[in-house]
């Protein structure tokens, strides 16, 4: 049986994609080096369906050759990457090596094994500071950190593989991803998470104090405005993107967000309201490489993929609450 390859399937978003495709009855192979992902997530997911796991590193082409020789792969969802803006401002070399060279190695392994369908996880960080809002896909790209730049470089490589090697691709530029599986089975296990809503819910449940990591920016309440998309809405868009490619849809770049912006302070208040708690807050060193406001124009996703976000902020907060109640300390390994 031909399989869907999910790179980074042991990570936060990748594991939700694995769950989604297994629940649809499809066979999945995960490729992950477990540098930032969790084996336990895959052990849980193996109970759902036909899941194979190959431990390997994108930076090691022989690991990729082994993967493609052992499994018949039809399409690729490429999540594996490092994705911490702040870390990328301190160690840019990590980002260019892992994200750009790692992705290039994957594209080469695909080319050599005649696998041409790929959905690539990109980010709104490729746009940098917004020149207008909401941001559509034509907005100039001007990444303000090496993480965003590494994704932009990878997008460019992929475009040439489309042009010259007949790759069929969709580049999905995600905005801020939040939430967990609505059944509480899997979620984001980072401790603390790098993601605002995750940390606010952890704070609300008293798992650890909440820290404002954002810099002071030029917005009405002085905190950054972002667009929050639920992880289950996000992975559903990947399934639609694969269908679109298989039906002959053209290579394209598509934003995935909710289409509205919330400031950091607004999200924290929402979490307090939904969980009926007051979150204890501490101040820490602000992150570097952040910008004031971004939120997405999602018309292209609606038109091409026939996709609409279905989850509200409340749904995301409640799914996180369920996940952290089930796994207050995240996965054990
Ligand atoms: N989380 C967000 O809000 C967000 C927003 C925009 C884009 N993205 C993109 O979505 C993707 C997934 O993000 P996430 O939040 O799930 O991250 P994550 O860190 O939870 O997962 C990444 C996974 O990739 C694996 N990995 C990393 N480098 C690897 C390598 N060289 N070889 C094999 N495996 C490797 C890690 O072990 C991990 O399991 C990333 O590409 C990220 O850039 C995430």
């Amino acid at each position: 049986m031909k399989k869907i390859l999910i790179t980074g399937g042991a990570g936060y978003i990748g594991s939700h994609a694995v769950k989604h495709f297994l629940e649809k009855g499809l066979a999945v192979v995960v490729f992950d080096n477990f540098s930032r992902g969790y084996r336990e997530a895959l052990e849980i997911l193996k109970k759902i369906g036909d899941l194979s796991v190959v431990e390997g590193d994108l930076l090691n082409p022989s690991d990729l050759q082994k993967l493609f020789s052992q499994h018949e792969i039809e399409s690729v969802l490429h999540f594996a990457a490092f994705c911490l803006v702040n870390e990328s401002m301190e160690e840019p070399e990590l980002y260019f090596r892992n994200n750009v060279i790692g992705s290039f190695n994957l594209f080469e392994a695909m080319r050599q094994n005649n696998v041409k369908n790929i959905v690539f996880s990109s980010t709104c960080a490729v746009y940098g500071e917004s020149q207008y809002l909401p941001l559509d896909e034509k907005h100039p790209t001007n990444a303000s950190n090496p993480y965003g730049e590494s994704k932009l470089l990878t997008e460019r490589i992929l475009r040439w593989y489309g042009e010259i090697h007949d790759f069929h691709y969709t580049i999905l530029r995600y905005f801020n991803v939040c939430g967990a599986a609505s059944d509480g089975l899997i979620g984001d296990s980072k401790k603390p998470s790098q993601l605002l809503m995750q940390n606010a819910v952890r704070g609300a449940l008293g798992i650890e104090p909440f820290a404002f990591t954002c810099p002071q920016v030029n917005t009405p309440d002085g905190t950054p405005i972002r667009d929050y998309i639920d992880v289950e809405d996000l992975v559903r868009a990947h399934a639609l993107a694969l269908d679109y490619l298989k039906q002959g849809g053209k290579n394209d770049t598509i934003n995935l967000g909710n289409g509205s912006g919330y400031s950091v302070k607004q999200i924290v208040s929402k979490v307090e309201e939904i969980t009926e708690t007051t979150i204890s807050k501490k101040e820490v060193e602000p992150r570097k490489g952040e910008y004031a406001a971004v939120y997405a124009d999602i018309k292209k996703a609606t038109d091409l993929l026939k996709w609409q976000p279905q989850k509200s902020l409340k749904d995301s907060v409640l799914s996180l609450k369920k996940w952290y109640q089930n796994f207050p300390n995240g996965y054990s390994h």
Side-chain angles (χ1 to χ4, degrees):
M1 189 183 191
K2 283 208 168 195
K3 295 180 177 174
I4 296 182
L5 166 62
I6 302 191
T7 73
Y12 167 44
I13 304 172
S15 60
H16 287 79
V18 173
K19 181 171 186 282
H20 181 88
F21 285 96
L22 290 178
E23 284 172 346
K24 285 177 85 176
L26 297 166
V28 172
V29 54
V30 164
F31 181 83
D32 204 296
N33 65 1
F34 298 101
S35 55
R36 303 201 171 177
Y38 299 87
R39 291 170 206 277
E40 191 180 349
L42 300 178
E43 284 160 21
I44 293 169
L45 293 172
K46 271 188 177 164
K47 295 184 189 128
I48 298 179
D50 183 353
L51 171 61
S52 321
V53 178
V54 173
E55 180 164 355
D57 197 318
L58 291 172
L59 292 176
N60 191 349
S62 64
D63 289 350
L64 286 162
Q65 270 318 328
K66 196 171 105 197
L67 163 75
F68 280 89
S69 63
Q70 286 176 346
H71 297 273
E72 211 186 337
I73 291 162
E74 186 200 66
S75 308
V76 180
L77 300 183
H78 178 32
F79 295 96
F82 292 158
C83 47
L84 306 180
V85 166
N86 203 38
E87 181 183 62
S88 83
M89 293 296 282
E90 272 148 27
E91 295 180 87
E93 59 284 359
L94 273 185
Y95 282 73
F96 295 122
R97 190 181 304 117
N98 199 49
N99 295 0
V100 184
I101 300 174
S103 298
F104 169 71
N105 287 343
L106 172 69
F107 303 156
E108 268 302 276
M110 288 174 62
R111 183 178 72 81
Q112 285 158 15
N113 290 279
N114 207 28
V115 176
K116 305 252 167 153
N117 294 330
I118 178 164
V119 177
F120 172 56
S121 307
S122 189
T123 165
C124 63
V126 300
Y127 297 118
E129 191 69 72
S130 54
Q131 295 175 15
Y132 58 85
L133 288 166
L135 280 151
D136 59 18
E137 294 81 354
K138 294 197 180 94
H139 186 283
T141 48
N142 187 18
S144 50
N145 52 63
Y147 163 58
E149 194 70 50
S150 74
K151 290 286 180 173
L152 194 54
L153 290 168
T154 308
E155 287 189 4
R156 289 190 174 142
I157 297 171
L158 189 51
R159 286 211 180 96
W160 287 109
Y161 273 65
E163 192 93 6
I164 298 166
H165 292 312
D166 197 29
F167 271 36
H168 310 298
Y169 68 77
T170 308
I171 294 168
L172 296 176
R173 290 179 176 161
Y174 317 158
F175 285 64
N176 283 45
V177 187
C178 63
S182 41
D183 57 11
L185 197 64
I186 57 168
D188 179 9
S189 189
K190 305 259 174 11
K191 295 171 262 185
S193 171
Q194 296 295 321
L195 305 174
L196 168 67
M197 196 187 291
Q198 275 62 336
N199 284 333
V201 175
R202 289 166 72 80
L205 295 180
I207 296 172
E208 69 199 356
F210 172 79
F212 272 108
T213 57
C214 58
Q216 188 75 16
V217 290
N218 185 19
T219 55
D221 69 15
T223 65
I225 292 175
R226 297 286 181 270
D227 179 332
Y228 293 86
I229 171 169
D230 187 90
V231 68
E232 290 193 334
D233 276 336
L234 186 89
V235 298
R236 199 167 39 80
H238 288 67
L240 294 170
L242 272 187
D243 292 345
Y244 177 73
L245 284 181
K246 285 189 212 150
Q247 287 155 13
K250 71 178 177 60
N251 293 345
D252 222 325
T253 302
I254 301 175
N255 283 341
L256 287 181
N258 234 303
S260 19
Y262 292 88
S263 75
V264 169
K265 281 191 177 157
Q266 283 175 319
I267 291 289
V268 173
S269 312
K270 278 258 171 213
V271 172
E272 289 182 321
E273 184 191 306
I274 295 164
T275 57
E276 297 172 347
T277 42
T278 304
I279 301 173
S280 73
K281 304 168 190 81
K282 61 174 185 183
E283 299 289 330
V284 293
E285 179 83 8
R287 298 187 197 200
K288 295 180 202 137
E290 294 289 348
Y291 31 84
V294 293
Y295 51 90
D297 181 328
I298 55 171
K299 188 171 179 312
K300 203 166 172 185
T302 310
D303 289 350
L304 294 184
L305 304 182
K306 314 291 173 225
W307 172 86
Q308 282 279 2
Q310 291 171 353
K311 305 264 175 182
S312 64
L313 281 182
K314 185 171 181 184
D315 294 330
S316 304
V317 170
L318 292 178
S319 67
L320 284 168
K321 189 174 163 202
K322 197 185 268 185
W323 154 249
Y324 286 126
Q325 280 169 338
N326 288 350
F327 289 80
N329 296 309
Y331 302 116
S332 58
H333 56 286

